[in-house]
Amino acid sequence: AEVAAKIGEGDPRDEDGKVTSGPEWIAVWDGMTGKEIARAAWPDREEFPSYNYYARNQIAVAYLDGKTPCLLALRGTYNRMIVDAYQFRRGKLEKLWHYDNKSYGRRFWGQGAHFTLCHDVDGDGRDEVILGSVVLDDNGVPLWSTGKGHPDAAYLADFDATKPGLEIGYLIESRNLTGGISLVDARTGTFHWLLKEPTKHVHGKGVYTDFDPVSPGLELQAA
């Protein structure tokens, strides 16, 4: 197996322990020897308003063609969001696609989570990328956005066995008049159910699970 990580040049941290300048890369090493075998540029910091926003970085693995593990380098959560998808092939990281939410309007702005889920939600045999309240198709083009903002938690499962496919249960930190807690169709983003009361910070301590074995499907606890 190989090992992948986000790296900088030397020790890139300033006196406060923050990385505010210098190049950054996604790198791949041979898992047996530790020898670096490939690297590519990490999404840059340009056009992010401050450190708090551009310091939100994630890395994920998705089977974008249904069979090959591909690396995702992600920057941004609360406003701008960027994803670069790479495939490791013939000793190099080859870029497959680039996603930047500034091309897609306000509904796709600041919808990120503190984690990235990758799963085939539309049944085509290839992984989609769940960026919080936004889902990208395997080619990096958005499938849908709820527009409800930043989720502190999101759970992907077959919550409702009476409906085909998977659902996503959301707990949204962003202030909402409705839908701060919701259950959506993972393929289409259609709301199966949403809270119709205002919320201002639904915390990630909530959980969807099978609290009641008598009632079919899963239940929700949130605060």
Side-chain angles (χ1 to χ4, degrees), residues 1-221:
E2 289 75 42
V3 177
K6 175 180 178 288
I7 63 171
E9 191 172 63
D11 184 353
R13 295 169 293 181
D14 63 18
E15 60 184 12
D16 296 323
K18 299 176 180 179
V19 179
T20 58
S21 63
E24 295 173 296
W25 300 279
I26 181 171
V28 179
W29 294 271
D30 183 293
M32 293 288 290
T33 67
K35 179 182 178 181
E36 183 181 318
I37 50 181
R39 71 167 62 183
W42 193 267
D44 65 40
R45 309 178 190 92
E46 298 300 320
E47 299 184 38
F48 284 87
S50 70
Y51 174 82
N52 182 48
Y53 299 115
Y54 68 68
R56 309 289 174 161
N57 296 277
Q58 299 181 46
I59 189 170
V61 174
Y63 288 77
L64 298 173
D65 64 357
K67 57 184 179 181
T68 308
C70 299
L71 285 169
L72 306 176
L74 308 99
R75 190 189 291 273
T77 297
Y78 294 118
N79 41 55
R80 193 176 183 206
M81 298 165 62
I82 302 173
V83 185
D84 286 332
Y86 292 96
Q87 183 172 322
F88 179 66
R89 183 161 41 196
R90 295 186 289 273
K92 296 181 179 180
L93 284 170
E94 299 179 359
K95 186 178 285 189
L96 299 176
W97 48 257
H98 171 82
Y99 168 77
D100 190 333
N101 67 341
K102 74 175 184 179
S103 303
Y104 292 97
R106 187 173 183 82
R107 188 173 180 83
F108 291 86
W109 196 257
Q111 304 292 314
H114 299 304
F115 49 87
T116 300
L117 303 177
C118 301
H119 195 83
D120 178 14
V121 301
D122 60 6
D124 64 359
R126 301 184 293 271
D127 278 354
E128 281 69 50
V129 183
I130 303 170
L131 303 177
S133 297
V134 170
V135 173
L136 305 182
D137 206 352
D138 54 86
N139 60 2
V141 176
L143 280 180
W144 54 262
S145 170
T146 67
K148 293 295 183 182
H150 158 63
D152 254 3
Y155 299 92
L156 175 70
D158 186 7
F159 293 96
D160 189 344
T162 67
K163 293 181 172 64
L166 301 173
E167 292 83 35
I168 303 176
Y170 282 116
L171 309 177
I172 303 294
E173 176 182 316
S174 304
R175 186 183 299 268
N176 277 281
L177 293 177
T178 63
I181 306 169
S182 65
L183 186 68
V184 308
D185 185 293
R187 183 178 63 86
T188 66
T190 303
F191 287 98
H192 289 324
W193 173 86
L194 55 80
L195 183 69
K196 295 182 180 179
E197 300 173 7
T199 55
K200 61 180 180 179
H201 191 149
V202 182
H203 202 273
K205 291 180 180 178
V207 65
Y208 282 85
T209 190
D210 191 6
F211 290 110
D212 182 1
V214 177
S215 176
L218 304 182
E219 290 78 42
L220 163 69
Q221 176 272 326

